[in-house]
Amino acid sequence: MWLSPDLPFAPRRVPFYYGWVVVVAATLGVLFSIPGQTMGVSVFTDPLLEATGLGRSSFSFAYLLGTLGSAALLPRAGVVIDRVGVRVAAGASALALGAVLLVLAQADRAGAALAGLLGLSPSAGAFAVLAVLFVGLRFSGQGVLTLVSRTMIGRWFDARRGRATAVSGLFVAFGFAYAPVLFEAWITRAGWRGAWTEMGFVVALAMTAVAFVFFREDPESAGLVLDGGVTDSRAAGQAELAFTRAEALRTRAFWVLTLALALQGMVVTGITFHVVDLGAESGLAKREAIALFPPLAVVSTSAGFVVGWLADRVSLRALVLLFLGAETLGYAASAHLGHAVGLPLAALGLGVAGGCFSVLTTVGPPRLFGRRHLAAIAGSTMTVVVAGSALGPLAMAGSRELLGSYTPALYLAAALPWLVGLGALRPLRPGGSA
């Protein structure tokens, strides 16, 4: 790797297993990615629409293009992370995310300048600028910074990987739930332009410092043993799985896990994007439809902690089947939010599925394929997941416009986990029992 693990200090000198420091640092990495996540962007949507003059549909399409562009870049990003190391990758992605936020703070002015330069309409200039910036925002934030942080936890733990993920997931879930409130207060104080500018500096400076000081590649390179202890790093992990990305892509296990995760990304993003109209279809007022999210957050956080601890004790196949069952319940119940038990069942199903999602994204790839090419393999999984999340709102809108209701799309979504589940009826681990 490009940086010595002993700079600025040696992890083996820490009086406890350094992997727990890694958990804290990686959790901060995921939290610092929030400005590049959908909930981080959504708070800025209305002020940005007013500043640029774009319509909501044009803005959404620019966001779709940006998300798909990010997905197309992620497989290569995973290979680069494996090559340059997590510290360089995390620092570079934090600097890139901060820079994109600084430019986004001037997006309306940049769009006007581009329109004048190329003779475009103001809305066309704004659309072009936002589409490009959203590629950078989603790639650096939701993509690389999240990927490198989760990859690092996967490399530092094996027997305790689920527990480490559970601890991290508690703080991530709280941070994601509270972020819109924090960002809204930030906008109220500094304006949308000032909020994004200040946020850009905070992310670039603080997260880059965290990456340089606390991120480390793996225990072996630091002279430690996986899950704790000190030894000659060259002797550690020789019997581990070491699938390359190409080898992993040819396995049934990769596609079962990836498609299960992609379904969650696609459908939940679609439900979230259209939740008010979805609730209105069931006879709910806006406030009643949004009431889905507080209990969902509680269930998701609790389920993530429980599933994380279970991940060290049960087979991966059992977790995947639990995940698929929760997806079916959540998607089907979401078609009946106005029913007496519709909203509670939707919160239960979507919440448990959300808890499984956060654990499986971290625990699944290293358990199935080993740690050596983990970022490249996880990057390919994330590509499919991100692409699914980009297409979810469009698929839901198509069902509403072409078939007159969201119900057909949700019923179809509820059936799809059963198809994926057919691939999980046998052990998932290639040649093993996961």
Side-chain angles (χ1 to χ4, degrees):
M1 296 299 117
W2 290 9
L3 295 175
S4 168
D6 291 341
L7 291 176
F9 62 88
R12 59 184 175 275
R13 294 183 178 176
V14 174
F16 53 88
Y17 181 51
Y18 191 77
W20 296 109
V21 177
V22 164
V23 170
V24 175
T27 301
L28 288 174
V30 177
L31 292 175
F32 271 106
S33 79
I34 290 177
Q37 307 278 358
T38 298
M39 78 284 297
V41 178
S42 62
V43 184
F44 290 85
T45 297
D46 287 340
L48 196 56
L49 290 177
E50 182 179 352
T52 60
L54 280 177
R56 196 169 295 272
S57 59
S58 297
F59 180 88
S60 299
F61 189 57
Y63 193 67
L64 169 66
L65 292 177
T67 303
L68 290 176
S70 168
L73 295 171
L74 280 173
R76 181 61 184 170
V79 174
V80 173
I81 291 170
D82 284 332
R83 182 177 302 159
V84 305
V86 295
R87 299 172 79 186
V88 172
S93 61
L95 290 173
L97 178 57
V100 172
L101 291 172
L102 293 176
V103 180
L104 271 171
Q106 308 297 326
D108 54 332
R109 296 167 181 168
L114 180 65
L117 181 64
L118 301 180
L120 304 173
S121 66
S123 59
F127 178 87
V129 166
L130 285 177
V132 172
L133 289 176
F134 283 151
V135 172
L137 184 74
R138 302 289 276 167
F139 178 67
S140 59
Q142 184 202 29
V144 177
L145 191 51
T146 302
L147 174 61
V148 73
S149 299
R150 287 175 172 164
T151 294
M152 186 168 62
I153 292 179
R155 286 178 174 167
W156 276 84
F157 290 91
D158 182 21
R160 299 178 180 177
R161 189 177 288 134
R163 276 168 279 184
T165 303
V167 172
S168 176
L170 281 176
F171 294 95
V172 169
F174 177 81
F176 273 55
Y178 185 71
V181 178
L182 172 63
F183 287 5
E184 184 62 43
W186 208 331
I187 292 172
T188 300
R189 181 188 62 81
W192 71 272
R193 201 185 303 277
W196 255 338
T197 300
E198 294 171 5
M199 203 177 295
F201 282 113
V202 170
V203 170
L205 298 177
M207 187 58 221
T208 301
V210 169
F212 174 72
V213 176
F214 298 110
F215 274 42
R216 295 296 189 278
E217 193 64 27
D218 53 42
E220 292 86 353
S221 65
L224 300 171
V225 172
L226 187 63
D227 286 318
V230 180
T231 189
D232 179 2
S233 62
R234 293 172 298 177
Q238 292 180 349
E240 285 190 57
L241 293 169
F243 279 70
T244 65
R245 183 179 65 172
E247 291 170 340
L249 289 173
R250 291 194 292 268
T251 66
R252 171 179 53 88
F254 175 87
W255 291 106
V256 168
L257 178 63
T258 298
L259 291 176
L261 295 171
L263 276 175
Q264 178 73 357
M266 178 177 68
V267 181
V268 171
T269 303
I271 291 172
T272 303
F273 203 85
H274 298 289
V275 67
V276 174
D277 196 38
L278 176 63
E281 187 177 290
S282 297
L284 299 180
K286 178 180 179 180
R287 177 180 56 81
E288 294 172 317
I290 294 176
L292 167 68
F293 292 108
L296 192 158
V298 172
V299 174
S300 180
T301 302
S302 304
F305 187 78
V306 172
V307 172
W309 281 84
L310 285 175
D312 295 332
R313 296 165 172 80
V314 303
S315 70
L316 193 68
R317 177 176 55 167
L319 297 182
V320 170
L321 290 173
L322 172 64
F323 182 32
L324 293 170
E327 286 182 317
T328 293
L329 174 63
Y331 304 162
S334 295
H336 304 282
L337 293 180
H339 192 276
V341 296
L343 193 146
L345 288 178
L348 176 63
L350 296 176
V352 172
C356 291
F357 180 94
S358 63
V359 173
L360 287 172
T361 51
T362 302
V363 171
R367 184 183 292 189
L368 291 172
F369 308 114
R371 298 177 297 144
R372 184 173 299 175
H373 305 286
L374 180 55
I377 295 169
S380 295
T381 293
M382 186 170 284
T383 294
V384 182
V385 174
V386 171
S389 70
L391 297 174
L394 186 62
M396 290 280 287
S399 177
R400 182 75 164 94
E401 293 177 4
L402 298 176
L403 303 175
S405 172
Y406 294 110
T407 300
L410 289 169
Y411 278 175
L412 175 60
L416 291 176
W418 290 81
L419 297 178
V420 177
L422 293 175
L425 295 180
R426 293 184 290 120
L428 291 179
R429 186 168 180 169
S433 59

